[in-house]
mmCIF file of all heavy atoms in Angstrom:
data_model
loop_
_atom_site.group_PDB
_atom_site.id
_atom_site.type_symbol
_atom_site.label_atom_id
_atom_site.label_comp_id
_atom_site.label_asym_id
_atom_site.label_seq_id
_atom_site.Cartn_x
_atom_site.Cartn_y
_atom_site.Cartn_z
ATOM 1 N N ALA A 1210 -55.624 17.022 -57.110
ATOM 2 C CA ALA A 1210 -55.626 17.984 -58.225
ATOM 3 C C ALA A 1210 -54.797 19.224 -57.894
ATOM 4 O O ALA A 1210 -54.101 19.750 -58.771
ATOM 5 C CB ALA A 1210 -57.061 18.368 -58.572
ATOM 6 N N VAL A 1211 -54.860 19.668 -56.645
ATOM 7 C CA VAL A 1211 -54.028 20.815 -56.225
ATOM 8 C C VAL A 1211 -52.555 20.449 -56.405
ATOM 9 O O VAL A 1211 -51.765 21.223 -56.949
ATOM 10 C CB VAL A 1211 -54.327 21.219 -54.767
ATOM 11 C CG1 VAL A 1211 -53.258 22.164 -54.222
ATOM 12 C CG2 VAL A 1211 -55.701 21.854 -54.654
ATOM 13 N N TRP A 1212 -52.185 19.278 -55.951
ATOM 14 C CA TRP A 1212 -50.796 18.829 -56.070
ATOM 15 C C TRP A 1212 -50.382 18.711 -57.541
ATOM 16 O O TRP A 1212 -49.288 19.123 -57.922
ATOM 17 C CB TRP A 1212 -50.613 17.504 -55.342
ATOM 18 C CG TRP A 1212 -49.261 16.901 -55.501
ATOM 19 C CD1 TRP A 1212 -48.100 17.294 -54.905
ATOM 20 C CD2 TRP A 1212 -48.920 15.793 -56.344
ATOM 21 N NE1 TRP A 1212 -47.060 16.499 -55.315
ATOM 22 C CE2 TRP A 1212 -47.533 15.565 -56.195
ATOM 23 C CE3 TRP A 1212 -49.649 14.975 -57.193
ATOM 24 C CZ2 TRP A 1212 -46.872 14.548 -56.866
ATOM 25 C CZ3 TRP A 1212 -48.994 13.957 -57.862
ATOM 26 C CH2 TRP A 1212 -47.618 13.760 -57.697
ATOM 27 N N LEU A 1213 -51.287 18.157 -58.372
ATOM 28 C CA LEU A 1213 -50.987 17.976 -59.792
ATOM 29 C C LEU A 1213 -50.721 19.292 -60.517
ATOM 30 O O LEU A 1213 -49.994 19.312 -61.509
ATOM 31 C CB LEU A 1213 -52.140 17.268 -60.505
ATOM 32 C CG LEU A 1213 -52.112 15.756 -60.545
ATOM 33 C CD1 LEU A 1213 -53.315 15.231 -61.310
ATOM 34 C CD2 LEU A 1213 -50.822 15.222 -61.127
ATOM 35 N N GLN A 1214 -51.307 20.367 -60.016
ATOM 36 C CA GLN A 1214 -51.052 21.673 -60.637
ATOM 37 C C GLN A 1214 -49.573 22.032 -60.571
ATOM 38 O O GLN A 1214 -49.074 22.750 -61.422
ATOM 39 C CB GLN A 1214 -51.851 22.770 -59.937
ATOM 40 C CG GLN A 1214 -53.215 22.978 -60.507
ATOM 41 C CD GLN A 1214 -53.855 24.177 -59.868
ATOM 42 O OE1 GLN A 1214 -53.903 24.312 -58.652
ATOM 43 N NE2 GLN A 1214 -54.358 25.064 -60.705
ATOM 44 N N GLY A 1215 -48.909 21.562 -59.535
ATOM 45 C CA GLY A 1215 -47.477 21.785 -59.414
ATOM 46 C C GLY A 1215 -47.061 23.188 -59.021
ATOM 47 O O GLY A 1215 -45.883 23.526 -59.124
ATOM 48 N N THR A 1216 -47.985 23.998 -58.559
ATOM 49 C CA THR A 1216 -47.635 25.375 -58.206
ATOM 50 C C THR A 1216 -47.449 25.586 -56.706
ATOM 51 O O THR A 1216 -46.708 26.479 -56.312
ATOM 52 C CB THR A 1216 -48.702 26.364 -58.718
ATOM 53 O OG1 THR A 1216 -49.969 25.995 -58.184
ATOM 54 C CG2 THR A 1216 -48.751 26.356 -60.236
ATOM 55 N N LEU A 1217 -48.101 24.801 -55.890
ATOM 56 C CA LEU A 1217 -48.016 24.987 -54.432
ATOM 57 C C LEU A 1217 -47.093 23.989 -53.745
ATOM 58 O O LEU A 1217 -46.541 24.285 -52.689
ATOM 59 C CB LEU A 1217 -49.408 24.887 -53.798
ATOM 60 C CG LEU A 1217 -50.400 25.970 -54.171
ATOM 61 C CD1 LEU A 1217 -51.764 25.682 -53.556
ATOM 62 C CD2 LEU A 1217 -49.900 27.335 -53.725
ATOM 63 N N TYR A 1218 -46.966 22.816 -54.329
ATOM 64 C CA TYR A 1218 -46.194 21.741 -53.700
ATOM 65 C C TYR A 1218 -45.290 21.110 -54.749
ATOM 66 O O TYR A 1218 -45.666 21.011 -55.918
ATOM 67 C CB TYR A 1218 -47.124 20.672 -53.112
ATOM 68 C CG TYR A 1218 -48.069 21.233 -52.084
ATOM 69 C CD1 TYR A 1218 -49.364 21.611 -52.423
ATOM 70 C CD2 TYR A 1218 -47.658 21.424 -50.772
ATOM 71 C CE1 TYR A 1218 -50.232 22.147 -51.484
ATOM 72 C CE2 TYR A 1218 -48.519 21.957 -49.818
ATOM 73 C CZ TYR A 1218 -49.804 22.323 -50.184
ATOM 74 O OH TYR A 1218 -50.644 22.857 -49.245
ATOM 75 N N PRO A 1219 -44.130 20.646 -54.329
ATOM 76 C CA PRO A 1219 -43.238 19.977 -55.292
ATOM 77 C C PRO A 1219 -43.887 18.691 -55.817
ATOM 78 O O PRO A 1219 -44.651 18.043 -55.117
ATOM 79 C CB PRO A 1219 -41.972 19.680 -54.490
ATOM 80 C CG PRO A 1219 -42.267 19.962 -53.073
ATOM 81 C CD PRO A 1219 -43.539 20.733 -52.988
ATOM 82 N N MET A 1220 -43.567 18.348 -57.027
ATOM 83 C CA MET A 1220 -44.134 17.164 -57.666
ATOM 84 C C MET A 1220 -43.372 15.909 -57.233
ATOM 85 O O MET A 1220 -42.796 15.190 -58.053
ATOM 86 C CB MET A 1220 -44.105 17.329 -59.193
ATOM 87 C CG MET A 1220 -44.935 18.486 -59.703
ATOM 88 S SD MET A 1220 -46.696 18.304 -59.336
ATOM 89 C CE MET A 1220 -47.111 16.916 -60.341
ATOM 90 N N THR A 1221 -43.384 15.689 -55.936
ATOM 91 C CA THR A 1221 -42.752 14.518 -55.323
ATOM 92 C C THR A 1221 -43.762 13.873 -54.392
ATOM 93 O O THR A 1221 -44.803 14.461 -54.070
ATOM 94 C CB THR A 1221 -41.512 14.936 -54.501
ATOM 95 O OG1 THR A 1221 -41.943 15.789 -53.431
ATOM 96 C CG2 THR A 1221 -40.479 15.651 -55.364
ATOM 97 N N PHE A 1222 -43.436 12.674 -53.926
ATOM 98 C CA PHE A 1222 -44.312 12.018 -52.958
ATOM 99 C C PHE A 1222 -44.414 12.862 -51.690
ATOM 100 O O PHE A 1222 -45.504 13.015 -51.126
ATOM 101 C CB PHE A 1222 -43.799 10.606 -52.639
ATOM 102 C CG PHE A 1222 -44.699 9.870 -51.687
ATOM 103 C CD1 PHE A 1222 -45.913 9.359 -52.124
ATOM 104 C CD2 PHE A 1222 -44.336 9.694 -50.358
ATOM 105 C CE1 PHE A 1222 -46.756 8.694 -51.246
ATOM 106 C CE2 PHE A 1222 -45.166 9.024 -49.478
ATOM 107 C CZ PHE A 1222 -46.384 8.523 -49.927
ATOM 108 N N ALA A 1223 -43.289 13.431 -51.252
ATOM 109 C CA ALA A 1223 -43.299 14.298 -50.065
ATOM 110 C C ALA A 1223 -44.182 15.519 -50.307
ATOM 111 O O ALA A 1223 -44.915 15.956 -49.410
ATOM 112 C CB ALA A 1223 -41.883 14.724 -49.702
ATOM 113 N N GLY A 1224 -44.144 16.073 -51.511
ATOM 114 C CA GLY A 1224 -44.992 17.204 -51.847
ATOM 115 C C GLY A 1224 -46.465 16.837 -51.799
ATOM 116 O O GLY A 1224 -47.305 17.605 -51.319
ATOM 117 N N LEU A 1225 -46.798 15.633 -52.292
ATOM 118 C CA LEU A 1225 -48.177 15.147 -52.240
ATOM 119 C C LEU A 1225 -48.631 14.988 -50.791
ATOM 120 O O LEU A 1225 -49.733 15.413 -50.431
ATOM 121 C CB LEU A 1225 -48.297 13.815 -52.996
ATOM 122 C CG LEU A 1225 -49.665 13.142 -52.979
ATOM 123 C CD1 LEU A 1225 -50.727 14.031 -53.626
ATOM 124 C CD2 LEU A 1225 -49.585 11.792 -53.693
ATOM 125 N N MET A 1226 -47.765 14.403 -49.969
ATOM 126 C CA MET A 1226 -48.127 14.221 -48.564
ATOM 127 C C MET A 1226 -48.296 15.573 -47.865
ATOM 128 O O MET A 1226 -49.219 15.751 -47.067
ATOM 129 C CB MET A 1226 -47.073 13.376 -47.837
ATOM 130 C CG MET A 1226 -47.020 11.913 -48.288
ATOM 131 S SD MET A 1226 -48.594 11.029 -48.092
ATOM 132 C CE MET A 1226 -49.249 11.036 -49.741
ATOM 133 N N ASP A 1227 -47.422 16.530 -48.183
ATOM 134 C CA ASP A 1227 -47.565 17.880 -47.621
ATOM 135 C C ASP A 1227 -48.903 18.497 -48.021
ATOM 136 O O ASP A 1227 -49.567 19.140 -47.203
ATOM 137 C CB ASP A 1227 -46.434 18.795 -48.100
ATOM 138 C CG ASP A 1227 -45.110 18.529 -47.413
ATOM 139 O OD1 ASP A 1227 -45.106 17.838 -46.369
ATOM 140 O OD2 ASP A 1227 -44.077 19.017 -47.923
ATOM 141 N N CYS A 1228 -49.281 18.297 -49.263
ATOM 142 C CA CYS A 1228 -50.551 18.822 -49.762
ATOM 143 C C CYS A 1228 -51.712 18.257 -48.947
ATOM 144 O O CYS A 1228 -52.593 18.996 -48.497
ATOM 145 C CB CYS A 1228 -50.704 18.490 -51.239
ATOM 146 S SG CYS A 1228 -52.234 19.098 -51.976
ATOM 147 N N TYR A 1229 -51.702 16.950 -48.744
ATOM 148 C CA TYR A 1229 -52.782 16.326 -47.966
ATOM 149 C C TYR A 1229 -52.757 16.770 -46.505
ATOM 150 O O TYR A 1229 -53.807 17.032 -45.921
ATOM 151 C CB TYR A 1229 -52.720 14.798 -48.070
ATOM 152 C CG TYR A 1229 -53.302 14.270 -49.362
ATOM 153 C CD1 TYR A 1229 -52.520 13.552 -50.251
ATOM 154 C CD2 TYR A 1229 -54.631 14.489 -49.699
ATOM 155 C CE1 TYR A 1229 -53.047 13.069 -51.443
ATOM 156 C CE2 TYR A 1229 -55.162 14.017 -50.884
ATOM 157 C CZ TYR A 1229 -54.370 13.309 -51.746
ATOM 158 O OH TYR A 1229 -54.898 12.837 -52.922
ATOM 159 N N VAL A 1230 -51.585 16.881 -45.922
ATOM 160 C CA VAL A 1230 -51.490 17.304 -44.516
ATOM 161 C C VAL A 1230 -51.997 18.740 -44.358
ATOM 162 O O VAL A 1230 -52.748 19.048 -43.426
ATOM 163 C CB VAL A 1230 -50.047 17.155 -43.987
ATOM 164 C CG1 VAL A 1230 -49.869 17.871 -42.656
ATOM 165 C CG2 VAL A 1230 -49.686 15.677 -43.861
ATOM 166 N N MET A 1231 -51.601 19.615 -45.271
ATOM 167 C CA MET A 1231 -52.016 21.018 -45.180
ATOM 168 C C MET A 1231 -53.530 21.185 -45.379
ATOM 169 O O MET A 1231 -54.113 22.177 -44.943
ATOM 170 C CB MET A 1231 -51.258 21.871 -46.196
ATOM 171 C CG MET A 1231 -49.764 21.947 -45.926
ATOM 172 S SD MET A 1231 -49.360 22.568 -44.283
ATOM 173 C CE MET A 1231 -49.859 24.268 -44.476
ATOM 174 N N ALA A 1232 -54.158 20.211 -46.000
ATOM 175 C CA ALA A 1232 -55.594 20.297 -46.267
ATOM 176 C C ALA A 1232 -56.445 19.688 -45.153
ATOM 177 O O ALA A 1232 -57.674 19.751 -45.220
ATOM 178 C CB ALA A 1232 -55.914 19.611 -47.587
#
Side-chain angles (χ1 to χ4, degrees):
V1211 166
W1212 175 75
L1213 271 181
Q1214 271 187 309
T1216 57
L1217 294 176
Y1218 301 96
M1220 298 298 293
T1221 63
F1222 182 75
L1225 177 61
M1226 292 302 101
D1227 285 345
C1228 180
Y1229 281 119
V1230 167
M1231 295 303 290

